[in-house]
Each structure stands twice: as C-alpha cells, then as structure tokens.
Amino acid sequence: MIAHKGLKNRPTSGTKGRMVKTTSFSCSACGATHTRWSGRCDACGEWNTITQDAPLSTGPAKKSLGGKRGQSIVLSDLSTEETPPPRTLCGVEELDRVLGGGLVPASALLVGGDPGIGKSTLLLQAAARFARTGLKTIYVSGEEASAQVRMRARRLGLEDAPVQLAAETNLRDILTTLEAEKPGLAIIDSIQTMWADNVDSAPGSVSQVRAAAHELTSFAKRHGVSIIMVGHVTKEGQIAGPRVVEHMVDTVLYFEGERGHQFRILRAVKNRFGPADEIGVFEMTGKGLAQVTNPSALFLSERGKPSPGSAVFAGIEGTRPVLVELQALVSPSPHSQPRRTVVGWDSGRLAMILAVLEARCGIPFAGLDVYLNVAGGLKVSEPAADLAVAAALLSAREDTALPADTVVFGEISLSGALRPAPQTENRLKEAQKLGFTSAIAPAGGKTGTVAGLTLTRPSDLVGFVGETFGAG
Ligand code: TYD
Ligand code: MG
C-alpha cells in the first residue's frame, strides 16, 4: 500500500466514518466546504487542501449582541430600549454621503479596488479627518512600514493629524492592540496581508481572508469599534479577494476609476445603513484626493462642440442626478464578425439595443464596428441610459450631431416601446442647472416640467428616431 501524503489531514477522531453533525471540512485554497474529507477538492481541483474545520463551540457565550443568550427580543422593545449612537461625519461631503450619512459606530466596512487606484490614500485622508473630529483612530498597515505611512501623510499635509499608526499583520496582535487602545475607528490596510495564526494557510488565501474578516467584523460588533478593511481586487483572483468578505460586512464600497484618468469614484455597492449605488466623486491630485462636489460639470468638462456620436445622459447615481456624456463610434468593419466594444456600460445591454434598433426601426448595424464609451471613467448601470445610448449610436451611424444643449434619458423595451425613468424631475432640474435647454424623455409616468427646458416626449423608439433624425 502506498501511503498518500494527503492522508495526514484525515480526521482521526474515531467515529468510524459516521460524522457528527457539526463536523465540516473546507478547502484552504478555494474555501469550498465539504461534508466529507477527501484528498482532492472537487471545486478547485487542488490536492491535499481539505482540512477539518473546528466545530462551533457550544459553550456558554461570554457576551451576546442583545438580550440574554438564546433569547429573542420584541422589536419594539429593542427600539425603545436604546437609541442608536450618533454617526460621525468626517466633513468630506462626498465620503459622508457614500457612507449613508456618516460613519456608523460598531460597523464593519470593506473598501475594495484595483491595486494602485488610491485606497490607502483615501483612507489615510479619511483617518485624519475622522481623528480631527475627536474620534480615536488607528491606521494599521500590513503593507507599508509606519515610516512610509508617515511619509505619505507628510506629502498629503496630514503629518499633524492625531492618527495612531501601526505596522502589523498578525491578527491576534492587532486585536489585542485594539482591545487595549479602544479606538472608535480602526483601518486595516489590507485584509489580504492579515493572517490569523490559528488558520493553517498563507496570508491572502481565501481561508485567511475569510477568517481575518470574520474576526474583525465580530470584534467591531462586540467592542463598538468601526472597522474599515481594505481589499485588493485582482484581475485573475477575484475569488481570493473581497468577494468572500462582502457578505460579512455591513457596507461594501468600491473605489473605481481608470488609471489614466484623474477621476475616482467611490461607490456603495452594499450598505446596511444607507442607500446602495450612492457615489462619491474624487480627483487624484499631487496632494492626494480632492472631492468633486459637482460631478456633472466635471464629466461634461471635456465635451467640445456638438459632434456626431455624442449624447448627454441625465442619470441618477444613488440619490443624486449626474449628467454624463456617452460617446459612440460606428464604422464599417473589416472583420467578418464586427467589433462591439464598451467601456463603462454593459455589453449585453448594448447588444440588446442594437437588436431593437434593427428589429423595430429597421436600422441595421451588421457589418459595422460599434464602440461605446462613457466619458470620465464612470460606470453607468441604469436602464434609463438606453435611450441616450441609442441616440449616441444613431448619431454616430447617421453622422449627424444631436441638437446642442439636449439631454436624453429613458428605458427601451424589447418591443421598441419607451418607459419613463424614475426621478424625471430631478434629472431635468440638474440639466437646467448646467445650462441645457431641451430634453428628450419618454412620455408617461410622473411628468416634471422645469422652467426654461423644452421637453420632447416620444412614446416609442420609432417616434424618437423620426423626431430626432428625420426619416430615420
Ligand atoms: P495608493 O493609495 O497607494 O493605492 P492603493 O492603496 O489602492 O494600492 O495610491 C497609489 C497611487 O496614487 C500612486 O500611483 C500615486 C498616486 N498618488 C497621487 O497621485 N497623489 C498623491 O498624493 C498620492 C499619495 C498618491
Ligand atoms: Mg495601498
């Protein structure tokens, strides 16, 4: 018999193949859970990575989150018993809004983003802001030495901020420090560099990231500390990154932007304490990130005179209207399979709009390469952008510029009908504020009229094409 080296992980507790209910196994490489031990993980195919998880302790709890352990509380009791502690506003409006109106005490947050996008810069600046409001703040870096963090702080003009710095990666030491120091806010940069010494795999692996995030999240709840964790999103290894952490934390923010652009967008993709999809807009300058309080003006600032292929979409990001330019290019394709390239929008949605234009309006795009770009590095996900996309595509295809100073919005259905977009009035007001004089938006829904703005209300796509581009 050949002894497989993987057998060393086999559980030895002698239940002779009959599992106790609480026993479970997980793969230290991909995090998949299994009911039985085996030498190879079915999920990721790695050998010798499955280990038995420590069973959940069933002893009496030292502390519990509310009421006595095992007892439930009537909701109304809970709400009269204690009013929630106040949120802390850091004073940077763009950040406070994305947080849902300030930092909630005892909350766990994840800030994800590509390496080098500016997460450490953002959080060091935020740490300084929060510290200056009187909230005790600790910034724990697992990536840089304290001296390096201090150097960065000096460059950002924050050297006198009362932030405590620590360079540490051992989770146990960090939790001990936090317990002793009792800060109001702790920033952990980054979750991938942290390691729990009771978990038997390398830092950055799924098991480690999950264990560290779990420990930190429950520490936040138990000790009333707000903890912000930084997570790198890597192109190939998204799974080992923040994805496994997302469901554990209260709030997930993603820091987005194109490396070549100076604009950065902080987006709430999940928030237990505020609206999701809220965005904060920042600009990367030589002295760190500066907030941009009027993003519409910024996204439209690069717009030249009206040209074919350009349409201005009046969108809503979170609770705020944002105007953004959509740019399309349509050209004869040298390829048998024409190109469809999209930046900042959903490529499936583009395919749908091209299909609707062809089927309902008889405007073919076969044999034509189509490029679509959202200017400024913003990612648009609203269906209300459909009509603006169609406008940009047709304008590019017909080589006709859309009327100047016009915004477009509305959803296109597969039948070619147009659906009104929510918050029409807010969109129109924002357009008017930025000097636009006309708008094209579907009829129906709650009509908002805004003084100084001419409204065109097509009922379907055919009508829109006829009105905007003549015979189509
Ligand atoms: P960083 O915050 O280190 O990114 P992350 O933590 O997400 O990996 O940001 C690094 C980039 O930001 C780097 O390319 C340089 C740029 N930067 C500035 O442009 N201005 C500044 O003041 C700072 C501190 C960084
Ligand atoms: Mg960093």
Side-chain angles (χ1 to χ4, degrees):
M1 278 255 279
I2 304 162
H4 192 280
K5 66 177 171 55
L7 293 181
K8 73 172 195 292
N9 285 338
R10 186 181 273 274
T12 48
S13 55
T15 43
K16 294 225 164 114
R18 296 189 67 203
M19 293 298 163
V20 183
K21 247 189 184 160
T22 52
T23 312
S24 71
F25 298 85
S26 65
C27 170
S28 60
C30 73
T33 53
H34 301 273
T35 51
R36 292 191 293 161
W37 184 88
S38 70
R40 182 170 187 257
C41 174
D42 298 336
C44 66
E46 282 294 312
W47 286 93
N48 196 21
T49 54
I50 294 182
T51 51
Q52 184 173 2
D53 296 332
L56 185 69
S57 155
T58 51
K62 292 186 203 82
K63 275 184 190 158
S64 64
L65 294 177
K68 289 201 182 109
R69 181 176 164 78
Q71 283 184 355
S72 54
I73 308 170
V74 177
L75 181 62
S76 53
D77 282 359
L78 194 66
S79 55
T80 51
E81 205 171 72
E82 43 192 321
T83 46
R87 299 170 176 233
T88 312
L89 294 163
C90 73
V92 179
E93 209 183 299
E94 294 294 296
L95 179 60
D96 286 335
R97 198 188 40 254
V98 176
L99 291 172
L103 186 69
V104 176
S107 58
L109 294 89
L110 171 73
V111 175
D114 291 333
I117 202 76
K119 299 181 294 300
S120 300
T121 309
L122 175 76
L123 288 172
L124 192 59
Q125 289 183 275
R129 283 285 190 155
F130 278 115
R132 280 178 181 155
T133 67
L135 191 71
K136 186 168 178 183
T137 305
I138 297 189
Y139 183 98
V140 182
S141 179
E143 304 192 334
E144 292 160 284
S146 293
Q148 284 172 307
V149 179
R150 211 173 296 125
M151 232 163 66
R152 188 200 292 258
R154 199 169 307 135
R155 189 140 59 92
L156 298 170
L158 303 172
E159 64 270 43
D160 55 348
V163 179
Q164 296 188 34
L165 299 180
E168 185 56 66
T169 56
N170 185 325
L171 196 62
R172 195 183 294 272
D173 293 347
I174 291 170
L175 294 181
T176 310
T177 307
L178 295 185
E179 208 163 342
E181 295 282 342
K182 300 192 177 22
L185 168 65
I187 292 168
I188 307 293
D189 188 2
S190 66
I191 191 72
Q192 274 101 348
T193 55
M194 297 298 141
W195 63 284
D197 49 21
N198 59 339
V199 176
D200 191 18
S201 56
S205 67
V206 177
S207 314
Q208 281 289 3
V209 168
R210 202 170 42 178
H214 177 75
E215 285 294 336
L216 287 163
T217 306
S218 53
F219 186 90
K221 305 285 160 191
R222 270 184 287 127
H223 291 83
V225 185
S226 301
I227 296 190
I228 303 181
M229 297 171 240
V230 175
H232 294 294
V233 180
T234 47
K235 288 277 177 300
E236 69 286 353
Q238 289 237 333
I239 161 170
R243 288 288 137 89
V244 293
V245 181
E246 279 185 1
H247 69 276
M248 292 184 207
V249 295
D250 301 308
T251 301
V252 178
L253 309 178
Y254 272 96
F255 206 36
E256 314 167 337
E258 299 293 322
R259 210 56 98 68
H261 284 287
Q262 73 269 41
F263 314 131
R264 300 283 183 270
I265 290 145
L266 186 67
R267 184 185 294 273
V269 295
K270 163 184 168 179
N271 196 349
R272 286 188 184 142
F273 313 116
D277 262 331
E278 194 69 82
I279 63 165
V281 184
F282 298 87
E283 193 175 350
M284 184 60 100
T285 68
K287 288 196 129 206
L289 291 153
Q291 66 171 343
V292 176
T293 43
N294 189 352
S296 299
L298 177 126
F299 289 131
L300 296 178
S301 63
E302 289 170 1
R303 207 164 59 110
K305 58 180 190 344
S307 61
S310 157
V312 177
F313 167 52
I316 299 279
E317 293 289 340
T319 54
R320 179 168 63 163
V322 173
L323 302 193
V324 58
E325 184 193 5
L326 305 181
Q327 302 162 342
L329 178 67
V330 174
S331 64
S333 178
H335 311 287
S336 58
Q337 181 122 33
R339 269 174 182 278
R340 305 284 184 250
T341 304
V342 192
V343 177
W345 208 51
D346 180 39
S347 55
R349 198 92 195 167
L350 173 67
M352 187 199 101
I353 289 179
L354 293 174
V356 174
L357 282 171
E358 178 148 7
R360 307 296 172 195
C361 308
I363 304 171
F365 282 83
L368 297 170
D369 284 340
V370 175
Y371 302 88
L372 183 75
N373 179 34
V374 179
L378 187 70
K379 288 195 178 80
V380 175
S381 56
E382 258 195 297
D386 291 354
L387 195 60
V389 169
L393 292 172
L394 291 169
S395 159
R397 190 183 183 280
E398 306 297 314
D399 202 24
T400 317
L402 286 162
D405 303 329
T406 300
V407 296
V408 188
F409 57 92
E411 187 178 341
I412 300 176
S413 71
L414 288 178
S415 64
L418 300 181
R419 295 198 199 110
Q423 302 197 42
T424 297
E425 199 170 333
N426 283 346
R427 297 174 201 258
L428 296 178
K429 275 190 189 145
E430 178 78 359
Q432 193 256 354
K433 206 170 85 189
L434 279 134
F436 287 82
T437 54
S438 63
I440 305 174
K446 222 167 126 193
T447 323
T449 43
V450 170
L453 208 67
T454 321
L455 202 55
T456 312
R457 317 200 120 235
S459 62
D460 60 12
L461 196 56
V462 177
F464 166 75
V465 173
E467 280 170 40
T468 317
F469 298 96

